[in-house]
Amino acid sequence: MFNLLTAEKLKIIKSRKMWFVLGLVIFLAVYLPINDYSMHINYGKIMNLRRDTVINGATAIMIAKKANGFILVIFGAFVSLYIGEEFQYGTIRNALSLGRSRTKYYLSKLVTAEIITLFLTLLLTILGVSIYTLCFGFGQIEGFSNVWEFWTKVFFAELLLTLAATATSVALTFIVRNTSLALITTFVYTLLVAFLPGIFNRYESLSFLPEWFVQTWLIYTDFASSGIYAQIPQMIVVSLVTIVVSSAIGMMVFQKSDIK
């Protein structure tokens, strides 16, 4: 397992995809506050926390929420390309021919993808807080007297939800085992989940289902609301269940798949 993770680290360092995604994350972290500041200066736009999600350095802990649409697509596409090319070019056979178990191989890809997700989300947040502070000042979060407690809980919830979304992308890629199909499947899955609340809320008996999809929480949750603390335990449960279930399904299908 350690050898597999070491090999993955070397692949990631040399991967142009990784550097491209890193550049996109840095671009988002710089563009979002600069664009808000430009709109504020040039057009007199008044920042509103509910509408804009982030209005100063204190609230920039939610920049991952503000950019969640881009993050879900970018991270999903990266995972699809990063893992899908192993099947596309047949390089997966090299690892399996050396006696590596499929479970360890799957876990090495999952752990690597999650570490990258953790790093990029942390980088996005740190840059977001810094640049929003430069543009709008640090300020405060309305309704929360303890900024550090708010930051810790909200960031942990956002991070877990994003890690769970990445785990789902990993599972989907191992299930379809093709770069193009993985890209399409991940995009369609994310798009469909975004519309789940509107579909299932029409039926009272199914209205609870959207709450079991991490994308629903990332897209629709108001992390600045005073009742957010009460929802965090449910987010944690949904995230952990998603990681476990998606990984179990992904590994089960991968174990039975024919690698040509």
Side-chain angles (χ1 to χ4, degrees):
M1 182 69 177
F2 178 76
N3 291 336
L4 285 172
L5 289 174
T6 302
E8 293 302 323
K9 182 182 74 172
L10 295 175
K11 287 180 185 178
I12 290 298
I13 292 175
K14 297 179 180 179
S15 173
R16 291 181 180 179
K17 300 178 188 67
M18 176 61 199
W19 294 107
F20 180 69
V21 172
L22 179 63
L24 284 177
V25 168
I26 294 174
F27 171 77
L28 280 175
V30 174
Y31 171 76
L32 292 174
I34 295 298
N35 181 64
D36 282 341
Y37 185 72
S38 175
M39 295 293 288
H40 175 69
I41 294 297
N42 296 324
Y43 301 101
K45 176 185 176 182
I46 299 175
M47 300 289 285
N48 179 277
L49 186 59
R50 182 170 293 278
R51 181 187 65 234
D52 298 302
T53 307
V54 178
I55 61 173
N56 54 28
T59 58
I61 193 70
M62 298 183 291
I63 193 170
K65 157 69 177 176
K66 182 179 178 69
N68 63 64
F70 294 103
I71 289 175
L72 290 173
V73 172
I74 292 171
F75 287 10
F78 171 73
V79 168
S80 300
L81 294 170
Y82 158 61
I83 299 175
E85 68 179 8
E86 298 280 0
F87 295 96
Q88 196 81 8
Y89 301 131
T91 52
I92 184 176
R93 293 194 296 269
N94 298 334
L96 298 182
S97 65
L98 294 174
R100 309 295 185 189
S101 73
R102 294 195 180 196
T103 299
K104 289 183 178 179
Y105 184 85
Y106 185 100
L107 289 176
S108 69
K109 292 292 186 183
L110 176 63
V111 170
T112 302
E114 297 290 40
I115 290 174
I116 292 171
T117 298
L118 177 103
F119 169 72
L120 293 178
T121 304
L122 188 61
L123 176 65
L124 176 69
T125 304
I126 291 173
L127 288 175
V129 171
S130 301
I131 300 175
Y132 264 101
T133 298
L134 288 174
C135 291
F136 297 99
F138 186 76
Q140 59 184 358
I141 306 170
E142 185 179 350
F144 297 92
S145 57
N146 190 329
V147 173
W148 298 110
E149 182 183 7
F150 175 83
W151 273 24
T152 302
K153 292 185 177 181
V154 167
F155 180 73
F156 183 68
E158 289 178 326
L159 180 60
L160 264 184
L161 291 168
T162 308
L163 290 173
T166 296
T168 303
S169 298
V170 171
L172 289 173
T173 306
F174 270 97
I175 289 171
V176 300
R177 303 185 301 282
N178 179 281
T179 303
S180 300
L181 283 177
L183 284 168
I184 295 171
T185 303
T186 301
F187 176 75
V188 170
Y189 175 81
T190 303
L191 191 64
L192 286 176
V193 171
F195 288 102
L196 280 181
I199 298 173
F200 289 128
N201 284 340
R202 298 178 181 178
Y203 309 96
E204 187 175 350
S205 59
L206 299 177
S207 60
F208 71 96
L209 284 177
E211 296 180 358
W212 286 97
F213 290 87
V214 294
Q215 289 84 355
T216 302
W217 288 99
L218 283 170
I219 295 171
Y220 296 105
T221 303
D222 180 7
F223 284 98
S225 67
S226 57
I228 188 63
Y229 287 168
Q231 294 178 301
I232 287 177
Q234 188 175 358
M235 294 183 207
I236 294 173
V237 171
V238 171
S239 299
L240 295 178
V241 169
T242 299
I243 292 173
V244 172
V245 172
S246 63
S247 299
I249 294 174
M251 279 191 281
M252 182 179 66
V253 174
F254 181 47
Q255 291 284 357
K256 298 179 179 180
S257 62
D258 181 22
I259 308 299
K260 299 180 180 180

